[in-house]
Amino acid sequence: MSIIDKEGLLSFLVRAFRLSSFFYFLKKPLLLLRIAKVAFYYAVLKKNILWKADLSLLGDCNLNCQHCFAHNFKTTAQKKYNKKELSTVEIISVIKECSSMGIFNFDFQGGEVLLHSDLETIIKATKPSRSYINIVTNGILFNEDWAVKLKRWGVDEISFSLDSYIPEEHDNLRNKPEVFSKLMKAIKIAQKYKFQILIFTTVTHKTLRSEGVRCLHNFTLKNNFIQQLFIGIPIGKWLGRTDILINDDDHKYMEKLAKNTKYNIRRDMTPHFFRSGCPAVKESFYMTPYGDILPCPFIHISLGNIRDHYLKDIIERALTIEEFKNYCPVCLIGEDKGFINKYGKKLFQCEESPINGDEILDFKTNLPHRLTPLVN
């Protein structure tokens, strides 16, 4: 179990300050209590507790990005296992299980999440008055109508995927023209409606220090946004591309960048509740549209499927694996050489996604099956 470190404490205080508006908590007072509970677990009881769920609601998208991995889930689920995406009723059941475990932060994503026909119903299932809700989007569909609806439904944050501040570079990564210009309009609309705004940027060893990314840093800081840097992983359409992985110097560069910007530019593993290191399984998890629970969006190992097993059982068993039980100071799948040698080499070459965890992880027990179906 990790201890509180000064970087983790500073990061938590920065995040808390950004959410500390008196009027904000008048609107969502129960959220403040839930955040305080998690902070108490981490700071006083010295215990880890799940607080965040990344839920991919569908695989469909209106773009065809060069670094996407959503299509791999679809191919494996539909062609190999004949699985269908979770229904709205099933997703609501998952949300209820999450809430019962203390999770208050819900990141809804795709594919392109704004294409989901029941998004309002799903968002409201989180009980927005007591939850922090983030929508991850490429920005193409986001307009005034969407802003009004999402604000009314209780969404707090919009995360826009933006990988370069040079329009041609961003459009090239998305394989479609005019994406950058539409995204800039979407961001202005989100500002107008006073959403918290995150910029999600995927970087590789080659692009980390590029002009497009550096200009994006300036854009983020100028507008008082948060920029979250995700390192490229050789999965999905980048399968086998180990050349994109960052090195030790890149890691140090991003750490320095985070500290120099007071964590307004941060890694996806920058601490939120005092801890530093990889939060996979201990603090958060990722769910595919087909119900597979993964440690994070980039470790494509299924810990169990929510249709077959309870979320609580899936997480508890996963935490018996040392790599998930303890905080790794670097990204497990992108930097930790031991983890990469043990699991990554297979993941980086396997078109099936996700891989069944029982076939690759050293579990000592089998998961108990649900006594009742996901949807009663």
Side-chain angles (χ1 to χ4, degrees):
M1 185 176 297
S2 65
I3 59 173
I4 298 173
D5 58 31
K6 61 182 181 180
E7 287 82 11
L9 178 60
L10 177 59
S11 179
F12 172 77
L13 292 174
V14 168
R15 184 176 177 84
F17 178 77
R18 291 176 65 86
L19 298 178
S20 62
S21 164
F22 176 73
F23 295 103
Y24 183 84
F25 283 120
L26 275 181
K27 184 178 179 182
K28 292 193 173 188
L30 293 178
L31 173 59
L32 175 59
L33 294 177
R34 299 184 80 190
I35 293 175
K37 177 184 176 182
V38 174
F40 178 78
Y41 265 79
Y42 278 86
V44 179
L45 299 182
K46 305 294 191 296
K47 292 182 178 180
N48 300 324
I49 183 174
L50 273 181
W51 58 273
K52 182 172 179 283
D54 293 330
L55 305 181
S56 179
L57 304 184
L58 76 172
D60 290 344
C61 190
N62 50 356
L63 292 179
N64 182 29
C65 302
Q66 290 185 20
H67 52 306
C68 180
F69 53 71
H71 73 288
N72 287 62
F73 295 147
K74 186 173 184 177
T75 300
T76 299
Q78 293 184 353
K79 291 186 177 180
K80 184 170 182 177
Y81 297 105
N82 197 30
K83 289 182 181 179
K84 293 182 179 180
E85 292 182 347
L86 295 179
S87 67
T88 298
V89 177
E90 288 177 311
I91 293 169
I92 291 173
S93 293
V94 173
I95 290 171
K96 289 179 180 178
E97 288 194 33
C98 288
S99 297
S100 71
M101 294 176 66
I103 292 171
F104 65 81
N105 189 327
F106 294 91
D107 279 23
F108 293 119
Q109 50 196 276
E112 173 49 53
V113 73
L114 298 185
L115 291 171
H116 201 289
S117 58
D118 289 331
L119 188 57
E120 177 183 5
T121 302
I122 292 169
I123 289 173
K124 289 183 176 179
T126 68
K127 298 182 179 179
S129 64
R130 50 178 285 178
S131 299
Y132 191 82
I133 304 164
N134 176 33
I135 295 294
V136 182
T137 176
N138 59 41
I140 299 297
L141 299 177
F142 189 85
N143 54 24
E144 294 253 357
D145 289 341
W146 268 114
V148 170
K149 289 190 291 187
L150 293 174
K151 180 63 72 170
R152 186 173 69 243
W153 298 344
V155 171
D156 303 280
E157 186 172 85
I158 309 293
S159 294
F160 293 103
S161 298
L162 178 56
D163 297 318
S164 174
Y165 200 63
I166 298 173
E168 296 79 12
E169 287 186 359
H170 182 75
D171 291 350
N172 181 56
L173 279 167
R174 307 296 166 184
N175 284 314
K176 192 171 183 177
E178 303 300 322
V179 174
F180 180 87
S181 61
K182 292 177 181 178
L183 179 52
M184 288 297 108
K185 292 177 182 177
I187 291 173
K188 288 182 179 179
I189 292 171
Q191 284 180 291
K192 175 181 175 181
Y193 285 87
K194 302 186 184 305
F195 288 100
Q196 295 284 334
I197 296 176
L198 262 70
I199 303 297
F200 279 6
T201 304
T202 299
V203 295
T204 67
H205 173 65
K206 182 179 179 180
T207 65
L208 177 60
R209 296 171 178 80
S210 67
E211 180 184 359
V213 171
R214 285 188 285 106
C215 290
L216 196 48
H217 297 333
N218 295 333
F219 170 73
T220 297
L221 297 174
K222 179 181 178 181
N223 287 280
N224 196 31
F225 299 154
I226 293 290
Q227 184 182 15
Q228 195 152 302
L229 302 178
F230 297 91
I231 62 173
I233 306 296
I235 53 177
K237 294 180 182 177
W238 277 348
L239 191 67
R241 288 280 311 279
T242 55
D243 60 293
I244 67 174
L245 292 171
I246 66 168
N247 58 30
D248 291 343
D249 288 339
D250 297 332
H251 177 92
K252 293 175 183 177
Y253 173 83
M254 284 188 281
E255 278 194 333
K256 184 177 180 180
L257 187 64
K259 292 177 182 178
N260 289 346
T261 62
K262 297 181 179 179
Y263 294 94
N264 285 308
I265 298 173
R266 61 176 69 160
R267 292 283 302 276
D268 53 317
M269 47 186 267
T270 295
H272 298 89
F273 286 96
F274 309 109
R275 303 292 200 269
S276 289
C278 176
V281 186
K282 296 167 287 298
E283 298 182 23
S284 59
F285 68 89
Y286 176 89
M287 185 185 77
T288 74
Y290 304 92
D292 286 297
I293 304 301
L294 314 186
C296 80
F298 308 106
I299 302 177
H300 288 187
I301 301 174
S302 177
L303 304 173
N305 192 286
I306 198 69
R307 282 178 169 137
D308 302 320
H309 313 284
Y310 294 110
L311 178 62
K312 185 175 183 291
D313 291 335
I314 294 173
I315 296 300
E316 285 182 353
R317 187 179 72 149
L319 287 173
T320 64
I321 302 298
E322 286 299 315
E323 291 89 348
F324 301 141
K325 178 181 179 181
N326 301 310
Y327 279 84
C328 179
V330 297
C331 174
L332 282 171
I333 194 62
E335 299 175 79
D336 186 82
K337 292 180 175 59
F339 192 88
I340 292 173
N341 287 332
K342 195 172 182 181
Y343 306 113
K345 288 183 177 179
K346 182 173 182 178
L347 292 176
F348 297 164
Q349 300 297 328
C350 185
E351 293 186 4
E352 178 181 335
S353 187
I355 295 176
N356 186 339
D358 286 286
E359 298 176 359
I360 190 172
L361 296 172
D362 188 25
F363 288 127
K364 304 300 183 184
T365 60
N366 294 322
L367 274 174
H369 282 268
R370 283 182 170 275
L371 299 177
T372 56
L374 181 60
V375 179
N376 291 316

